[in-house]
Amino acid sequence: MKVLRFYAPKDVRIEDVPEPTCGPDEVKLRVRNCSTCGTDVKIFNNGHQNISPPRIMGHEVAGEVVEVGADVSGWSVGDRAQVIAAVPCGECYECRRGWMAVCENQTSVGYQYEGGFAEYLIVPRQVLKVDGLNRIPDNIGFDEASVAEPFACAINAQELISVAEGDTVVVFGAGPIGCIHIRLARANGASRVFLIDVNAERLKMSADAVKPDEVINGSEVDVVERVKELTDGRGADVVITATAANVAQEQAIRMAARRGRISFFGGLPKTNPYIQCDSNLVHYRELMIMGANGSAPEHNKRALEYISTGKVPVKDLITARLPLDRALEAFDIVAKGEAIKVTVEP
């Protein structure tokens, strides 16, 4: 079968490898869609400490069951399924407390296990153990289902900061995850949502799709002052930094209203992970700053429900589709911000 395999930073190859065999405690999928994200580009450029090469990349996976191991129940050939990416152990202190998104023993599809940029994927027993293989509702496509994984991460973040009825929400980052955050915030009851980016073309492309109440170009205006103008000086109830930018996190603190909730959703580069924080703003405004790291299996199920019910549509966010032998082109499109969401169809 054809795969996209990581060997080293900037050494990622389209190859032919033997089709994998399904063990008694595994499920074999015919991959129909594996969508791409900024993390794939980071891995291409810099590698990752959890990847032991050679490794098939890809972690936003949806496909069709073609074989079920003898010891696996509940699945049949022909079933349509979405696969979690972050795999909790289900046994550590965090997992027992229900905090599976921060499992200390977490492993990942496309990192420790072979990923979805392939014609076939073996769903390992570790995924099945934590109920991480999810049925795709009949009314949504494989392409939409593949977006459930990043969507699940947005659900986790907004749950942690309690986005609610009447909130004014600011989202930094006009990429696909920023678009999902805007639609999810509306579904959670936000009264106004503002979108901030410094790339005018990407801002327009995403704003045309998700129609925020205000579009703010950070290369042209002082974003903190603009948000305060739009809120009569009060600031935003919720700020989500869906971008790997230090300045966005610093601006988020400065634009948050009293009792504002801030989600540091996008991680910063390991070479520059520090920001300047006016601690007195946090202290006197009683600001709440929360990290958001990935998702739990249950968030993936909820993402599929949001898509299926139409509360948060995602199909129109998929603006580029490529076959597997052009997967490296997909990475380039993501890196240049030339599409909202890019999916690979093996």
Side-chain angles (χ1 to χ4, degrees), residues 29-262:
L29 290 187
R30 171 71 172 94
V31 179
R32 296 301 183 186
N33 281 88
C34 185
S35 290
T36 61
C37 75
T39 301
D40 296 316
V41 177
K42 290 178 189 174
I43 292 169
F44 175 85
N45 288 320
N46 306 308
H48 193 281
Q49 62 184 8
N50 293 333
I51 291 182
S52 50
R55 176 69 67 211
I56 299 171
M57 295 176 63
H59 59 273
E60 299 182 9
V61 187
E64 182 180 353
V65 175
V66 294
E67 189 175 347
V68 179
D71 297 339
V72 176
S73 60
W75 289 96
S76 303
V77 171
D79 287 345
R80 303 161 72 243
Q82 178 261 352
V83 188
I84 63 171
V87 185
C89 71
E91 299 173 358
C92 67
Y93 176 84
E94 287 76 16
C95 284
R96 294 197 310 272
R97 290 293 302 268
W99 306 334
M100 285 188 165
V102 287
C103 167
E104 67 172 345
N105 303 313
Q106 183 187 94
T107 49
S108 300
V109 172
Y111 293 70
Q112 288 90 350
Y113 317 115
E114 301 290 21
F117 290 131
E119 294 179 71
Y120 294 93
L121 170 106
I122 298 298
V123 180
R125 61 178 176 79
Q126 291 91 339
V127 169
L128 299 174
K129 172 187 170 185
V130 295
D131 195 23
L133 187 63
N134 301 308
R135 294 185 188 282
I136 300 174
D138 292 340
N139 65 333
I140 68 175
F142 291 110
D143 53 351
E144 297 166 280
S146 71
V147 181
E149 190 281 324
F151 188 174
C153 300
I155 292 171
N156 179 44
Q158 293 204 22
E159 189 176 76
L160 288 168
I161 57 172
S162 303
V163 178
E165 196 76 30
D167 282 338
T168 293
V169 177
V170 173
V171 176
F172 279 87
I177 200 71
C179 290
I180 290 170
H181 268 300
I182 285 175
R183 284 186 170 166
L184 179 60
R186 288 202 189 282
N188 284 332
S191 61
R192 293 192 296 170
V193 289
F194 307 152
L195 178 62
I196 298 175
D197 206 300
V198 295
N199 183 321
E201 290 182 8
R202 187 166 62 176
L203 257 177
K204 183 179 186 314
M205 178 172 57
S206 295
D208 285 347
V210 298
K211 296 178 172 48
D213 295 285
E214 191 75 21
V215 175
I216 304 172
N217 188 330
S219 69
E220 297 177 349
V221 300
D222 182 322
V223 299
V224 175
E225 289 306 310
R226 183 61 183 142
V227 168
K228 288 187 175 179
E229 285 174 13
L230 292 165
T231 56
D232 297 323
R234 184 172 173 273
D237 300 297
V238 172
V239 188
I240 300 166
T241 61
T243 180
N246 307 62
V247 66
Q249 294 186 356
E250 293 170 353
Q251 291 168 333
I253 294 169
R254 289 166 48 214
M255 71 172 57
R258 286 172 176 78
R259 281 288 175 110
R261 291 100 68 201
I262 299 164

Side-chain angles (χ1 to χ4, degrees), residues 5-16:
R5 198 145 67 164
F6 174 90
Y7 282 87
K10 306 238 169 95
D11 182 7
V12 178
R13 312 172 195 172
I14 302 285
E15 295 185 321
D16 286 311

